[in-house]
């Protein structure tokens, strides 16, 4: 059952994506009708939340079973915005193949009545609300004159980014997210002294219910999309190794890598935005992971040039970038990308030009990654987008450009194989892992919201791509 319209895209972005998903190679295999249908289903899935939230356990500090129990206790009694029976059914479940993962159902869409009074929030705030957050004041765009503390309101999300902040009402395209109680008046929300923080609407009756992980066991669990956790396992770091995470902030994968290494060895984490590096350091400290060394750096320039002092020396594990060539046992390039796999996402604001700008940037970063990797080392390339240009086409380019690289099988392999259209062979595509979002569930005919099935959790997730190489 469709609740929200498919993700809103600019017309040229939509055409570009449609061409990708109905490319000649693909259509000749599955037929035009199936390719078209799959594309439409993809756009619908993207605007809806996945059927489970995924939390990764910091196994460095506590065993999974203990964390499952502690988390269950923490979440009991949380007001999630559903009825008691629904809330009681939302318990953390272990993932069948990933020992460090707990899955929490996202229950919905539920039947919720729309109220007379409404606030409209931005698309980003709307996505957070769908994933369990309350409405924070900076996210509100429009609120009625009568908004006052204790009043009940319906919350809508602006789909096309057209609502102006401070408006009293909005008649543009918007989607309903649920109802809540105001904790701020209109004048507090739109305070003239500048942006105000804090919860403005506490959600009490949601379209989708799922626990909110804000400040819940921050040292023991990390909210992370399932494919992102798969990346850490596919990289397969071992205690004592030197590992480079080239685009690391805010550190979800860095802290996972350090955890898999039992905090032994060195994980160098680079990101080009200083404030994000600070956030990464905070996350590492919160999880007691002292083997992480974080630096603010443009990773394209992370390899030492022949004139720089560190050239020809071996890296001693103490200095920051630039590093001598072949310094690392494993390199993760979780590349900056167009992010078109993120869910729920009701509207993509970026232009076609921006979407197309990522391929050359990713190639520059990839070339640096190959130079910094030791012979025999492992390189994992990942993105959270669905385009061919940033995924399979990059793999085809890498195999042509770096004869020393070979594709490797991935463990675990929970996603689908690579998509047709980039000229890769069947065997090459089978070694790739593409998470192609497929929405499940819906409202049952008796009006009850069915519990999502754990078997669907691996496919009803965000759009994501993983490739693993070894350098010979
Ligand atoms: N790996 C991260 C995680 O799991 O938490 C997410 C990384 S996000 C997909 C991409 C990151 O690349 C952003 O934080 C961005 O600031 C960073 N970035 C973009 N261009 C970069 C560059 N040239 N050098 C280093 N970092 C870069």
């Amino acid at each position: 059952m469709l609740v929200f319209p498919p993700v809103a895209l600019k017309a040229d972005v939509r055409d570009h994506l449609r061409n990708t998903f109905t490319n000649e190679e693909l259509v000749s295999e599955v037929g035009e009708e199936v390719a078209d249908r799959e594309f439409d289903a993809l756009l619908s899935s993207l605007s809806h939340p996945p059927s489970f939230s995924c939390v990764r356990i910091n196994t460095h500090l506590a065993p999974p079973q203990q964390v499952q129990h502690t988390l269950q206790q923490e979440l009991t009694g949380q007001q999630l915005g559903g009825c008691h029976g629904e809330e009681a059914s939302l318990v953390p479940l272990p993932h069948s193949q990933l020992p460090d993962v707990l899955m929490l159902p996202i229950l919905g869409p539920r039947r919720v009545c729309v109220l007379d009074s409404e606030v409209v929030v931005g698309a980003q705030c709307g996505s957070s609300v769908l994933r369990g957050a309350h409405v924070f004041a900076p996210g509100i765009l429009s609120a009625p004159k009568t908004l006052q503390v204790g009043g009940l309101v319906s919350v809508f999300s602006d789909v096309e980014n057209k609502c102006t902040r401070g408006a009293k009402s909005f008649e543009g395209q918007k989607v309903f997210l649920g109802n809540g109680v105001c904790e701020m008046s209109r004048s507090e929300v739109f305070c003239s002294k500048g942006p105000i923080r804090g919860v403005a609407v506490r959600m009490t009756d949601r379209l989708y219910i799922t626990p909110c992980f804000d400040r819940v066991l921050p040292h023991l669990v990390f909210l992370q999309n399932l494919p992102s956790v798969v990346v850490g396992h596919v990289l397969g770091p071992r205690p004592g190794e030197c590992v480079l995470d080239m685009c690391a902030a805010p550190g979800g994968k860095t802290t996972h890598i350090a955890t898999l290494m039992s905090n032994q060895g060195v994980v160098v984490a680079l990101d080009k935005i200083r404030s994000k590096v600070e956030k990464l350091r905070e996350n590492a400290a919160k999880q007691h992971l002292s083997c992480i060394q974080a630096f603010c750096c443009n990773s394209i320039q992370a390899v030492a040039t022949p004139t720089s002092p560190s050239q020809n020396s071996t890296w001693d594990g103490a200095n920051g970038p630039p590093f001598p060539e072949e310094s690392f046992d494993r390199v993760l390039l979780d590349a900056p990308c167009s992010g078109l796999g993120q869910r729920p996402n009701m509207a993509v604001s970026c232009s076609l030009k921006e979407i197309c700008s990522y391929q050359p940037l990713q190639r520059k970063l990839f070339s640096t990654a190959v130079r910094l990797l030791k012979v025999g080392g492992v390189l994992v390339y990942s993105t959270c987008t669905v385009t061919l240009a940033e995924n399979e086409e990059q793999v085809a380019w890498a195999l042509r450009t770096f004869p020393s690289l070979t594709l490797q099988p991935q463990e675990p392999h929970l996603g689908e194989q690579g998509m047709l259209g980039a000229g890769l062979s069947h065997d090459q595509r089978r070694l790739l892992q593409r998470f192609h979002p497929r929405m499940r569930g819906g409202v049952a005919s008796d009006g009850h919201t069915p519990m999502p099935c754990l078997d669907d959790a691996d496919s009803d997730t965000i759009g994501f791509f993983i490739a693993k190489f070894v350098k010979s």
Side-chain angles (χ1 to χ4, degrees), residues 246-253 271-273 276 297-299 334-336:
M246 289 179 74
C247 296
K253 297 183 190 72
D271 202 280
K272 98 174 176 182
I273 299 181
K276 289 188 170 188
C297 166
N298 177 353
S299 292
D334 184 37

Side-chain angles (χ1 to χ4, degrees), residues 198-384:
V199 173
V201 179
R202 190 162 294 279
M203 299 300 292
T204 52
D205 201 6
R206 294 173 180 272
L207 204 64
Y208 285 90
I209 57 171
T210 189
C212 176
F213 291 93
D214 196 22
R215 285 188 275 253
V216 173
L217 307 177
H219 60 301
L220 288 180
V221 297
F222 196 91
L223 190 62
Q224 209 169 6
N225 288 300
L226 184 72
S228 295
V229 186
V230 172
V231 168
H233 289 285
V234 167
L235 185 68
R238 300 195 191 127
E241 289 184 335
C242 288
V243 179
L244 174 65
D245 186 353
M246 289 179 74
C247 296
K253 297 183 190 72
T254 315
T255 50
H256 189 202
I257 292 166
T259 304
L260 291 171
M261 291 164 65
S262 305
N263 200 24
Q264 290 164 35
V266 184
V267 183
V268 173
L270 307 180
D271 202 280
K272 98 174 176 182
I273 299 181
R274 190 165 298 280
S275 58
K276 289 188 170 188
V277 175
E278 285 309 319
K279 184 76 200 151
L280 191 156
R281 288 190 180 126
E282 273 172 36
N283 280 331
K286 237 185 252 173
Q287 295 176 49
H288 303 213
L289 293 163
S290 54
C291 76
I292 295 172
Q293 297 180 13
F295 302 98
C296 180
C297 166
N298 177 353
S299 292
I300 294 171
Q301 290 152 10
V303 60
T305 58
T307 50
S308 55
S310 39
Q311 182 67 6
N312 296 329
S313 59
T314 34
W315 183 53
D316 61 6
N319 296 330
F323 306 105
E325 294 203 4
E326 301 186 354
S327 287
F328 296 93
D329 300 299
R330 290 170 208 263
V331 176
L332 170 61
L333 174 53
D334 184 37
C337 69
S338 55
L340 296 175
Q342 292 295 353
R343 290 174 70 192
N345 187 3
M346 276 165 260
V348 170
S349 55
C350 54
S351 65
L352 183 57
K353 188 171 168 204
E354 190 183 338
I355 289 171
C356 296
S357 72
Y358 286 102
Q359 193 188 63
L361 169 65
Q362 291 158 351
R363 289 186 180 181
K364 285 184 192 151
L365 287 162
F366 196 100
S367 302
T368 305
V370 177
R371 290 176 67 189
L372 287 173
L373 186 65
K374 287 181 187 170
V375 172
V378 170
L379 166 58
V380 169
Y381 173 82
S382 59
T383 74
C384 61

Side-chain angles (χ1 to χ4, degrees), residues 18 41 93 130 133 159 162 167 175 189 200 225 255 297 302 375 391 416 443:
R18 185 175 282 283
L93 304 165
L130 285 175
V159 173
K162 293 214 167 131
V175 294
V189 170
N225 288 300
T255 50
C297 166
V375 172
N391 297 324
E416 299 177 22
V443 175

Side-chain angles (χ1 to χ4, degrees), residues 10-305:
K10 294 189 168 80
D12 56 350
V13 172
R14 192 190 166 87
D15 290 346
H16 175 78
L17 278 184
R18 185 175 282 283
N19 288 341
T20 298
F21 282 85
T22 54
N23 71 68
E24 220 175 285
E25 208 183 337
L26 183 69
V27 165
S28 69
E29 175 111 348
V30 301
E32 201 164 341
E33 206 180 309
V34 172
D36 266 336
R37 210 171 40 232
E38 286 270 310
F39 177 64
D40 291 340
L42 171 73
L43 298 191
S44 292
S45 300
L46 290 177
S47 60
H48 290 73
S51 56
F52 283 83
S53 294
C54 167
V55 290
R56 176 175 56 76
I57 299 165
N58 183 4
T59 49
H60 161 62
L61 292 185
Q65 271 188 332
Q66 187 183 321
V67 176
Q68 184 184 359
H69 182 69
T70 316
L71 182 63
Q72 171 75 66
Q73 284 180 325
E74 278 285 316
L75 298 179
T76 304
Q78 225 191 55
Q79 302 283 306
L80 302 181
C83 70
H84 180 69
E86 289 169 323
E87 293 184 2
S89 66
L90 297 183
V91 294
L93 304 165
H95 188 277
S96 60
Q97 290 186 60
L98 298 173
D100 52 357
V101 164
L102 294 172
M103 305 296 286
L104 276 122
I106 299 182
L107 201 58
R110 304 168 58 248
R111 288 181 195 277
V112 180
C113 294
V114 179
L115 306 171
D116 291 338
S117 181
E118 67 177 50
V119 299
V120 177
V121 301
Q124 206 183 344
C125 174
S127 298
S128 304
V129 170
L130 285 175
R131 295 196 84 164
H134 295 290
V135 177
F136 285 79
I140 297 189
L141 298 176
S142 134
K145 258 201 322 216
T146 51
L147 192 81
Q148 54 184 334
V149 177
L152 282 177
V153 279
S154 284
V155 178
F156 286 81
S157 178
D158 172 17
V159 173
E160 296 174 316
N161 202 15
K162 293 214 167 131
C163 181
T164 23
R165 187 170 158 77
K168 296 191 181 75
S169 62
F170 176 62
E171 295 312 320
Q173 203 190 349
K174 57 193 173 187
V175 294
F176 178 55
L177 306 176
N179 299 326
V181 181
C182 299
E183 295 199 349
M184 286 184 194
S185 64
R186 181 185 153 88
S187 56
E188 283 174 292
V189 170
F190 299 126
C191 174
S192 57
K193 288 191 195 121
I196 182 159
R197 292 170 189 280
V199 173
V201 179
R202 190 162 294 279
M203 299 300 292
T204 52
D205 201 6
R206 294 173 180 272
L207 204 64
Y208 285 90
I209 57 171
T210 189
C212 176
F213 291 93
D214 196 22
R215 285 188 275 253
V216 173
L217 307 177
H219 60 301
L220 288 180
V221 297
F222 196 91
L223 190 62
Q224 209 169 6
N225 288 300
L226 184 72
S228 295
V229 186
V230 172
V231 168
H233 289 285
V234 167
L235 185 68
R238 300 195 191 127
E241 289 184 335
C242 288
V243 179
L244 174 65
D245 186 353
M246 289 179 74
C247 296
K253 297 183 190 72
T254 315
T255 50
H256 189 202
I257 292 166
T259 304
L260 291 171
M261 291 164 65
S262 305
N263 200 24
Q264 290 164 35
V266 184
V267 183
V268 173
L270 307 180
D271 202 280
K272 98 174 176 182
I273 299 181
R274 190 165 298 280
S275 58
K276 289 188 170 188
V277 175
E278 285 309 319
K279 184 76 200 151
L280 191 156
R281 288 190 180 126
E282 273 172 36
N283 280 331
K286 237 185 252 173
Q287 295 176 49
H288 303 213
L289 293 163
S290 54
C291 76
I292 295 172
Q293 297 180 13
F295 302 98
C296 180
C297 166
N298 177 353
S299 292
I300 294 171
Q301 290 152 10
V303 60
T305 58

